[in-house]
Amino acid sequence: MHYDAIILGAGGAGLMCAAIAGQAGARVLVLDHAPKAGKKILISGGGRCNFTNTGTEAGNFLSENPHFAKSALSRYTQWDFLGMVQAHGIAWHEKTLGQLFCDDSARRIVAMLLDECAKGGADIRLSTQIGEVRHADATYHVAGDTADALVIATGGPSIPKMGATGVAYDLARQFGLPLVTPRPALVPFTLGDSDAAFREISGVAVPSVARVGSTAFEEASLFTHRGLSGPAVLQVSSYWSPGQAVTIDLLRDAAAKLRDARSRMPRSGLKAALIEHLPKRLADVLADRIALPTELGNASDATLDDVAAQLQHLTFHPTGTEGYAKAEVTAGGIDTAALSSKTMEARSVPGLYAIGEAVDVTGWLGGYNFQWAWSSGWAAGVAIAGRLQA
């Protein structure tokens, strides 16, 4: 068959694009090699899908062009998507930091998107290998069908066990679109032998401020059998480059807390003071590492200030990350310089679009990446529909 658009990828961005274009009258085909649509949606948020964030704005995203995302995000907002969720009767709740989740199951979000696609008559073909993609005589040829437009919505290589691949980058190279080097993002760090004691307290989580360079996030940090994870650490991982240090502030107002402990229990050691504020297993490791050589009552203000500085700037030098296998998203991707921020269409290849995670726009943890999927998919869907009137 001949379609107005073939969309490669039945994830959040692809389904949104298909729904918007289809409901505006475009004949749309969605292709995906997976047996189910929206596989990443189904596993997100512990199965309840953190589908957007009330605080979404362009500053919550990383890109070589930090302004690129503004157009799509401002024209299809978090409130627009929430309106769709509510129109489908999906119960939701807000967690911390503006994160919105389904009360029930992420399956409700996938069902909603499929229903919106059905309203527009979109064809969705799963368990289908894309194979060779050809472009000739202003027509795209894919899997035995043809179309006037082609949308790359295949995501990035994060979570390969879900079937994720780098096919978006292969297609970009085929059509001459530049890439910003892809890398794992929102990903745990691995630690070496010098930090083995922290790997041995796997499962311990603590409120913290994690920092890479000038970028910092205040949420929980988690010690794992391989290194560091937790929301604060995942956030800064997107800004990390190999060789950079990661610092964690484990105890706010540490100097004041240590002075207070000294006045109340001068015969105690550092471990006793730390256990009042931190998990015991972490306090044990920190007390051994800092090794205060005296009772608290014999420690000077300067000594306590030095201990406090170590607690508030606990420094790690990761050996790396856990890679795409554990990365929630992929940073980098198709260079936004090659795309229109309004339509997501390639400037040099008429009728070729790229949306979602395939593009060099990466959100913070907390529903931002889904909102980019909805917004970029919406922008491309509107543009494809507009081609019908052109």
Side-chain angles (χ1 to χ4, degrees):
M1 286 186 61
H2 183 77
Y3 293 88
D4 294 308
I6 294 176
I7 299 170
L8 306 180
L15 293 176
M16 176 62 83
C17 181
I20 296 302
Q23 290 181 32
R27 293 165 298 170
V28 178
L29 170 65
V30 181
L31 298 175
D32 201 304
H33 69 283
K36 291 183 179 180
K39 290 187 72 175
K40 277 194 176 180
I41 297 174
L42 293 172
I43 68 167
S44 68
R48 289 187 172 164
C49 188
N50 179 193
F51 56 81
T52 193
N53 193 294
T54 61
T56 302
E57 56 186 28
N60 304 123
F61 296 82
L62 294 77
S63 175
E64 289 290 299
N65 177 1
H67 302 291
F68 181 84
K70 290 180 178 179
S71 176
L73 291 172
S74 65
R75 290 185 297 130
Y76 189 85
T77 71
Q78 59 270 39
W79 310 114
D80 293 318
F81 189 78
L82 181 58
M84 181 187 292
V85 168
Q86 292 175 321
H88 280 258
I90 299 173
W92 57 275
H93 60 278
E94 181 176 346
K95 285 192 176 180
T96 58
L97 305 174
Q99 301 167 13
L100 302 189
F101 288 77
C102 297
D103 283 357
D104 183 14
S105 166
R107 291 192 298 272
R108 298 291 301 276
I109 299 295
V110 175
M112 176 189 75
L113 292 169
L114 291 174
D115 183 54
E116 292 292 325
C117 286
K119 289 179 183 178
D123 292 337
I124 299 177
R125 195 181 303 163
L126 304 174
S127 300
T128 300
Q129 296 301 318
I130 293 171
E132 181 185 10
V133 175
R134 294 189 299 109
H135 185 216
D137 300 323
T139 300
Y140 294 89
H141 301 254
V142 188
D145 294 293
T146 59
D148 300 321
L150 180 71
V151 182
I152 301 172
T154 52
S158 59
I159 320 182
K161 69 179 181 181
M162 298 290 295
T165 70
V167 66
Y169 312 143
D170 297 334
L171 290 167
R173 295 184 189 99
Q174 176 182 335
F175 289 103
L177 305 184
L179 294 173
V180 174
T181 303
R183 66 186 190 281
L186 300 180
V187 62
F189 289 116
T190 55
L191 297 177
D193 292 342
S194 61
D195 293 311
F198 291 98
R199 300 201 311 259
E200 292 170 2
I201 59 170
S202 175
V204 170
V206 62
S208 66
V209 177
R211 179 175 283 103
V212 166
S214 61
T215 301
F217 287 89
E218 182 176 1
E219 288 188 77
S221 291
L222 171 69
F223 296 93
T224 76
H225 70 287
R226 298 192 64 185
L228 297 171
S229 188
V233 170
L234 294 179
Q235 295 279 36
V236 297
S237 73
S238 297
Y239 296 83
W240 180 80
S241 297
Q244 275 190 296
V246 176
T247 63
I248 300 180
D249 179 350
L250 293 173
L251 189 60
R252 179 174 290 180
D253 299 325
K257 289 181 171 67
L258 291 173
R259 283 177 168 79
D260 175 66
R262 181 179 60 186
S263 66
R264 290 185 293 103
M265 44 186 186
R267 301 294 298 274
S268 298
L270 176 60
K271 185 185 297 185
L274 295 180
I275 287 174
E276 291 190 325
H277 305 286
L278 299 170
K280 181 180 182 303
R281 293 165 66 201
L282 176 58
D284 288 342
V285 172
L286 291 171
D288 288 343
R289 169 172 281 207
I290 296 172
L292 182 65
T294 182
E295 295 176 342
L296 289 172
N298 294 324
S300 67
D301 285 351
T303 297
L304 292 184
D305 287 345
D306 178 65
V307 172
Q310 293 183 64
L311 293 171
Q312 294 189 291
H313 298 87
L314 185 64
T315 301
F316 298 94
H317 292 89
T319 56
T321 73
E322 294 197 39
Y324 289 119
K326 294 296 180 68
E328 297 204 12
V329 292
T330 303
I334 297 173
D335 195 334
T336 59
L339 306 174
S340 162
S341 62
K342 181 178 180 180
T343 65
M344 309 304 295
E345 184 176 13
R347 299 182 186 280
S348 61
V349 188
L352 180 66
Y353 300 78
I355 58 178
E357 191 181 345
V359 178
D360 174 36
V361 175
T362 305
W364 292 357
L365 188 71
Y368 299 100
N369 286 292
F370 275 130
Q371 186 57 47
W372 172 244
W374 318 138
S375 296
S376 61
W378 179 92
V382 168
I384 289 167
R387 292 170 61 92
L388 302 178
Q389 285 80 44

